[in-house]
Amino acid sequence: MSGLRVRARGTVQGVGFRPFVYRLAVELRLAGEVSNDSEGVLIEVEGRAAGLDEFVRRLVDDAPPLARVTAVECSWRPPTGSTDAFRIVESRAGAVPAVPVSVDVATCDDCLSEVADPADRRFAYPFTNCTNCGPRYTIVRAIPYDRPATTMSGFPMCADCDAEYHDPADRRFHAQPNACPVCGPHLRLLGPDGTTRAEREGALEDAAVALLHGDVLAVKGLGGYHLVVDATSGDAVAELRRRKHRDDKPFAVMVPDVEAARVLCQLSDAAEDALVSPRRPIVLAPRRGDAALAEGVAPRLAEVGLMLPYTPLHHLLLERVARPLVMTSGNASDEPIAHVDDDAVVRLGPMVDAILTHNRPIHIRCDDSVVRSRLEDDVQMVRRSRGYAPEPLVLPDVARRQVLAVGAELKNTLAVAKGTSVVASHHIGDLEHLAAYRSFLQAVDHLCHLAGVEPEVVAHDLHPEYLSTKFALDMGVPTLGVQHHHAHIASCLVERRHPGPVLGLAFDGLGLGSCGTLWGGEFLVADLAGFQRVGHLRPVPLPGGDRANTEPWRMAMAWTHAALGRAAAERVGRPIDDRWAAVLALIEHPQVPTTTSVGRLFDAVAALLGLHPRMTYEAQAAIALEACTAGVPLGDGSGYDATVDDDGGIAVLDPTPLVARVVAERDNDTGAAVIAAGFHDGLGRSSARLAVDLAGRHGLDTVALSGGVFQNARLSEVVERACRDAGLTVLVHHQVPPNDGGISIGQAAIAALS
Ligand code: ZN
Ligand code: ZN
Ligand code: FE
């Protein structure tokens, strides 16, 4: 007989790990106990040596699907000679919480077959879940993760559910949200004014009928409300756009299964894997020409965002409607998604014909995550939220202090760092909206609590006007300002588990530089401790400040002015906007702010080609410019080259020859697709050439690509290929968004390790 003390770390709470340990120990005839504590799962086990060996091996190999075991530490201890059966010990309270709960997980196949089985007591029950699936992060109020600390605390289990919950051999053993039609939450269908129209099965049936009639519904999901209409009905989709005050921004579509998804979009293997994964993100993929979707779902875009059902309620609704459904965030315009019931009636009531809701509260609002299909068989994170938050990322080293990082202003997320983990929050949104800012404040407390972090330093952006920065500076805790583009590159290093230094290309919209200017096309020698700016895009005027960010025609004038002078700039601006003369004066004003943003260069070229001279949502022009190149094979971009100058030892990438070529081809009536492709390929090649040169000069063999511009798959592919052809390793984002949603992760890592 021997005894072992085994410590398992990682995502091991709320994922059925203790029941799994129990079953394994019973099978191997081992005695002892398993418990959750602040560091993960602790196991005291004893028995024959061969059994113990197998136990430790299978602890990792056979772990439940949702568990992520990052470490198993074993130490020998004397056996007690116990002959008692192996047992599960209640969670130890009082310890400092340090292990985050699991992500929310899509309904598993076992639960789905119960929901579909008329003989099962959970037949057609929309809140069916088990240890392997169901709500987690969105219902947890505190940890340790036990039912009283969740929004299921108001639903005492019936005798049947209680028996499952306490039976170690049952799939629902210690499944905290366990519920059934007798004891659990129920559906209600409300009118727009909040009065009840139907309950239980009747609510579901009536909701399905309303959708088939073309009504607009609000439907309560895992992390908030969706606005839902029949995606095949042009009228219903147009009505939703009118009520939501949303002109062009694409809607996501939910389809019942992967076969239905294949009919609508071209899906790579990686895209299908993402679509069917239990995380269930929205997957952006190229739309098929004959896809039976209303044009208004994603107007003039080559891609559509698809997702599969992730709660039994979604499955039951899609089964009854039997057609694709638009499922867009339940909000007006760009506000945060509604998740509290009274608030939903107030905010969504005026927009909908009915509200399909239920009485299980949502504690943490959590939007759907979004990934984008890229290259031939790859996906990249665009919005990391439901299904991914709060899963920790691993730091390359142990944090020197506990950190709170407050992120950027747009697409805000938070992150905390402690030990060897960084934990990022769900997507919080654009902080300029009051509701998003409130949600930010709530998330700060909640995330620190879940991760057991008492911040010793608060990391923030250098931009003094970001609300996140102001919040950080008011906290009364030591702060660390982290340069925006350094944070972008750091987020890529954390995700790729690379210690640096690397040559980082940080291309994005705008971020404040170290010296008060607006950056966005940066070549940085960077690691997690610091950075040196070794190159950048040529600066041009940003005429009109914030307006230049939403009115690409202004940037078209600025870049044409830089490339071809005043008369050419006038020729660009005059036909588009009456204010062209004022903008010209701004461009020539000696005190005009300048920017090195690649995002704004994309805007300029899009506007030159007549694509969205004024935008209704962020990055609309750049997205259209990339979409415009579909079908044009990758070229070498010759004729669309940028040149490189030297500014006191810093390389300056000057794309004015490229802009001049765009203007000339446009005046020659060359097709927009060919020009847009030439621009992408030329800019990509030129950027890569400079990257290879700078990497060589600084003795680096690795390039990292980050910033929102690298969501552009074509540009990214050109740069990646050219750098790899030159023998460099290229790091790109997969799990962390290259856009500002990843900034908090970079900030946290820098503050933890510098
Ligand atoms: Zn399940
Ligand atoms: Zn029950
Ligand atoms: Fe950025």
Side-chain angles (χ1 to χ4, degrees), residues 641-713:
D641 296 299
T643 55
V644 175
D645 302 326
D646 184 87
D647 177 18
I650 297 182
V652 178
L653 185 67
D654 182 358
T656 48
L658 206 165
V659 173
R661 173 76 185 263
V662 169
V663 173
E665 292 294 328
R666 181 188 80 152
D667 293 346
N668 281 342
D669 288 332
T670 305
V674 173
I675 302 176
F679 166 72
H680 277 81
D681 303 345
L683 181 67
R685 285 287 187 134
S686 304
S687 302
R689 255 198 313 273
L690 178 55
V692 170
D693 178 41
L694 289 171
R697 270 197 254 168
H698 293 273
L700 302 169
D701 58 7
T702 305
V703 170
L705 308 181
S706 191
V709 168
F710 284 110
Q711 274 167 231
N712 184 311

Side-chain angles (χ1 to χ4, degrees), residues 121-122 156-162 164 178-184:
R121 71 190 192 91
R122 290 191 174 83
M157 277 182 278
C158 68
D160 287 341
C161 286
D162 196 62
E164 293 166 340
N178 188 23
C180 79
V182 174
C183 64

Side-chain angles (χ1 to χ4, degrees), residues 21 55 103 152 259 297 318 541 570:
V21 170
F55 178 82
V103 303
M152 286 298 290
E259 286 75 27
V297 167
L318 273 135
E570 178 181 335

Side-chain angles (χ1 to χ4, degrees), residues 106-112 128-134 171-172:
T107 312
C108 74
D109 289 345
D110 290 335
C111 285
L112 275 184
T128 303
N129 67 83
C130 73
T131 323
N132 299 322
C133 74
R171 201 173 88 247
R172 296 196 165 88

Side-chain angles (χ1 to χ4, degrees), residues 408 466 484-485 488 507-511 707-708 738-741 743:
Y466 285 2
H484 188 91
H485 302 92
H488 271 308
F507 290 4
D508 69 352
L510 287 181
N739 60 47
D740 284 6
I743 285 288

Side-chain angles (χ1 to χ4, degrees), residues 104 222 279-281 307 310 366-369 385-388:
D104 297 291
L222 264 187
R279 302 175 188 275
R280 287 292 202 275
M307 66 178 148
Y310 53 85
C366 205
D367 294 76
D368 295 316
S369 294
S385 201
R386 179 191 46 76
Y388 297 87

